[in-house]
Amino acid sequence: MGFFERFHAPEHRGLDIIIVGCGTVGATLVERLSNEGHDVTIIDKDRARVNEIANYYDVMGIVGNGARYGILMDAGVQHCDVFIAVAEDDELNLLSCCIASKAGNCATFARVHTPDYSSEINYFREKLGLTMIINPELSTAEEMARLLYQPNALEVNPFAHGLAEMVKFQVYDNNPLIGKTIAEIGKELPHELLITVIERDDKVIIPNGNDHIENGDQVSFVSSKENVRKFFEYIGFDSRQVSDCMIIGGGISTFFLATKLIEMGIDVKIIEQDRDRCERLSVLLPQAIIIHGDGTSEELLHEENIKHIESFIPLTGIDEENVLLSLHALQVNEDVKVVTKINRVNYRDVIRDMDLGSVIYPRYIIAETILSYVRGMMNSQGSNVETLYHMFNDRVEAVEFKITEDSPITEVHLKDLKIKKNVLIASIKRKGKIIIPSGRDRIHVGDSVMIVSTNLGYDNIAQILA
């Protein structure tokens, strides 16, 4: 057990946060939340793991069962602001959150894997006092489905309750954007969008009108959802969603993903090694083709037509297998859309250089959902954080704020605001419509405003002012 005390500047007091579970997700939350100045206490039965994380991140660690009332009282649950349970056991997470909600006055977050609990979220909120239940498999499936709907995209991040999207894609040879400035692109486009980030040679740029696009750039833009496909068509990409998908592995993530793809009209083929699981999936997913066999077998993959499928997603549960399968799919089918799920981040830079297509890290999906809520709790100056994404290897943040009252940023033409460097106001949602802002636009109370920046940690939109 380790105990460490942290001091914060009085103008930005951190929240008291308890995290149950020191696995990959728990460690990611400790890193993010402690870096943002919060007082974090971790609880886990694994003494070695608790000591490792407590010492590395300078947080308080308690060894024990996170669902025991006495342990939670020792951790200070009666005084904490946020309680997060991300252990591997669903029931432990739910029970510990229930105890925390009764013993203290805190926001409670429980991670669950079991699909059965997903249909009972309202009950847990209303009757048991849980703030949020997060299902990483379901969230991962939703992100993968967005990528198959927009297969040209490397990333698709929704904002404004799905009305707007921030989309990242790769610029290749002969792309009509190459050589043009951001201002020129804006004038030529027949619909509204804003280029928000350019990554070039490992350098991240928040562009102005004079910056230009080069071959090999990774570019992110923001637009209304309906304009994303129009933009890809304008620059010569095939913008239709994929027609079929081969999934390797038949776990919970596969069930959620296949369900969503079938709803989208995408043909699904699943290869699973366990016969009992195949039989179960055939009952749960009667519209999918279920193949009993070893999905890592090159011979079987070719028998099942991997050379001609439009999308391929390995969900074996083993990172190394997922990476190798993705590389094989890209080698034999240059047109296939590949999405690779990675649970560990030890070799994130190496994986990034492999060109695996779209790579998804479930631990970050959970962390950013919670982090956006925590940042919203920190603020009392006229805006609340609604959505948060980290991109470009955590070097860029996109944050959506709900404007709740008048402030220095409201009712002023954007061109007259003195905004810090490397900050871009990317979109405004007003009365159900998305505005890609110009200098003549103004922010009103009631708007939702997205900013993109390489300056990290904003929890109030007024902080973007110089």
Side-chain angles (χ1 to χ4, degrees):
M1 184 189 333
F3 175 82
F4 302 87
E5 189 172 10
R6 180 186 293 103
F7 296 92
H8 303 290
E11 70 275 12
H12 191 76
R13 185 191 72 82
L15 300 177
D16 291 321
I17 300 175
I18 296 174
I19 299 174
V20 175
C22 291
T24 56
V25 174
T28 300
L29 285 166
V30 171
E31 177 187 18
R32 293 270 169 96
L33 293 168
S34 62
N35 284 344
E36 296 204 359
H38 301 293
D39 290 310
V40 177
T41 299
I42 56 174
I43 303 173
D44 198 286
K45 294 179 182 178
D46 187 332
R47 180 177 297 275
R49 185 66 172 157
V50 169
N51 286 335
E52 177 187 2
I53 293 177
N55 288 322
Y56 188 83
Y57 292 108
D58 189 14
V59 299
M60 182 177 184
I62 294 178
V63 179
N65 183 344
R68 279 189 56 201
Y69 175 79
I71 292 289
L72 297 185
M73 294 299 288
D74 288 344
V77 70
Q78 65 273 35
H79 307 300
C80 85
D81 302 297
V82 180
F83 185 91
I84 306 166
V86 287
E88 289 301 319
D89 187 296
D90 289 355
E91 285 72 24
L92 185 149
N93 291 337
L94 291 169
L95 178 58
S96 61
C97 281
C98 289
I99 296 172
S101 68
K102 302 300 180 184
N105 183 26
C106 54
T108 53
F109 299 83
R111 178 178 74 167
V112 300
H113 299 279
T114 308
D116 294 343
Y117 291 133
S118 299
S119 61
E120 299 172 348
I121 290 176
N122 290 334
Y123 176 83
F124 287 118
R125 286 176 180 167
E126 295 174 9
K127 303 298 182 181
L128 302 181
L130 272 68
T131 304
M132 187 180 296
I133 289 180
I134 303 170
N135 188 315
E137 285 78 14
L138 177 58
S139 299
T140 299
E142 291 171 341
E143 186 159 338
M144 290 177 171
R146 287 193 292 268
L147 290 166
L148 299 194
Y149 181 78
Q150 299 286 359
N152 298 296
L154 295 173
E155 291 181 14
V156 179
N157 294 317
F159 289 87
H161 302 289
L163 294 176
E165 291 180 337
M166 185 167 180
V167 180
K168 182 167 77 172
F169 71 103
Q170 183 90 37
V171 176
Y172 295 108
D173 293 333
N174 303 319
N175 190 295
L177 300 179
I178 294 174
K180 293 181 179 179
T181 66
I182 304 303
E184 290 171 340
I185 294 169
K187 291 177 181 177
E188 293 177 2
L189 286 174
H191 45 269
E192 289 189 331
L193 66 78
L194 183 66
I195 293 176
T196 53
V197 188
I198 300 170
E199 184 181 42
R200 179 182 305 146
D201 299 327
D202 206 35
K203 180 181 179 182
V204 170
I205 303 165
I206 304 295
N208 58 40
N210 297 321
D211 287 302
H212 65 282
I213 305 295
E214 294 183 5
N215 183 33
D217 286 352
Q218 287 195 354
V219 177
S220 281
F221 67 90
V222 169
S223 80
S224 62
K225 185 176 180 179
E226 63 266 23
N227 281 339
V228 173
R229 281 188 171 177
K230 294 178 182 178
F231 173 70
F232 281 134
E233 290 171 357
Y234 180 79
I235 61 175
F237 287 1
D238 183 356
S239 64
R240 63 184 179 86
Q241 73 176 26
V242 302
S243 62
D244 57 11
C245 181
M246 180 185 291
I247 306 172
I248 309 302
I252 296 174
S253 293
T254 294
F255 167 74
F256 283 123
L257 177 59
T259 300
K260 291 194 169 294
L261 298 186
I262 290 168
E263 290 174 355
M264 294 165 62
I266 296 173
D267 295 332
V268 174
K269 180 182 289 186
I270 300 169
I271 302 177
E272 164 60 39
Q273 201 163 10
D274 183 275
R275 178 176 292 277
D276 290 339
R277 183 59 180 168
C278 285
E279 292 176 357
R280 178 65 174 154
L281 287 172
S282 67
V283 174
L284 293 172
L285 302 167
Q287 293 173 278
I289 297 173
I290 313 297
I291 306 295
H292 175 232
D294 182 1
T296 64
S297 165
E298 185 176 345
E299 181 180 358
L300 178 59
L301 291 175
H302 285 266
E303 285 178 3
E304 296 303 327
N305 209 24
I306 190 174
K307 288 185 177 181
H308 299 101
I309 58 168
E310 293 194 359
S311 63
F312 179 84
I313 302 181
L315 295 173
T316 68
I318 302 173
D319 289 350
E320 292 81 1
E321 284 189 356
N322 291 342
V323 169
L324 290 173
L325 285 167
S326 293
L327 291 172
H328 178 68
L330 290 164
Q331 183 182 52
V332 302
N333 184 348
E334 62 180 14
D335 296 322
V336 68
K337 172 65 179 181
V338 171
V339 183
T340 310
K341 175 187 171 186
I342 304 291
N343 289 308
R344 293 178 296 173
V345 294
N346 309 58
Y347 304 104
R348 195 175 178 186
D349 292 336
V350 175
I351 289 170
R352 187 165 167 267
D353 293 336
M354 284 183 175
D355 192 19
L356 291 172
S358 297
V359 179
I360 289 179
Y361 296 90
R363 64 158 71 180
Y364 291 128
I365 297 174
I366 300 172
E368 289 176 351
T369 299
I370 295 173
L371 190 58
S372 63
Y373 189 97
V374 170
R375 284 206 196 165
M377 292 178 66
M378 290 293 297
N379 171 63
S380 59
Q381 301 176 30
S383 66
N384 293 321
V385 174
E386 291 197 314
T387 315
L388 169 68
Y389 292 103
H390 288 85
M391 297 162 292
F392 294 95
N393 212 21
D394 294 339
R395 292 175 294 172
V396 176
E397 275 187 1
V399 190
E400 182 182 6
F401 295 94
K402 178 71 174 181
I403 309 304
T404 57
E405 61 185 55
D406 287 321
S407 74
I409 59 97
T410 57
E411 304 306 331
V412 179
H413 289 112
L414 298 186
K415 63 183 176 63
D416 296 326
L417 291 175
K418 294 183 179 179
I419 298 175
K420 293 175 181 176
K421 291 183 178 180
N422 298 317
V423 176
L424 197 61
I425 297 177
S427 72
I428 300 171
K429 186 189 84 167
R430 180 177 300 150
K431 297 179 179 179
K433 294 185 177 180
I434 299 301
I435 300 168
I436 302 300
S438 68
R440 298 183 299 276
D441 286 299
R442 294 179 294 179
I443 297 171
H444 302 326
V445 174
D447 290 349
S448 291
V449 180
M450 179 176 49
I451 66 104
V452 179
S453 179
T454 54
N455 308 326
L456 309 182
Y458 292 131
D459 56 52
N460 185 297
I461 195 169
Q463 295 167 341
I464 71 173
L465 297 178

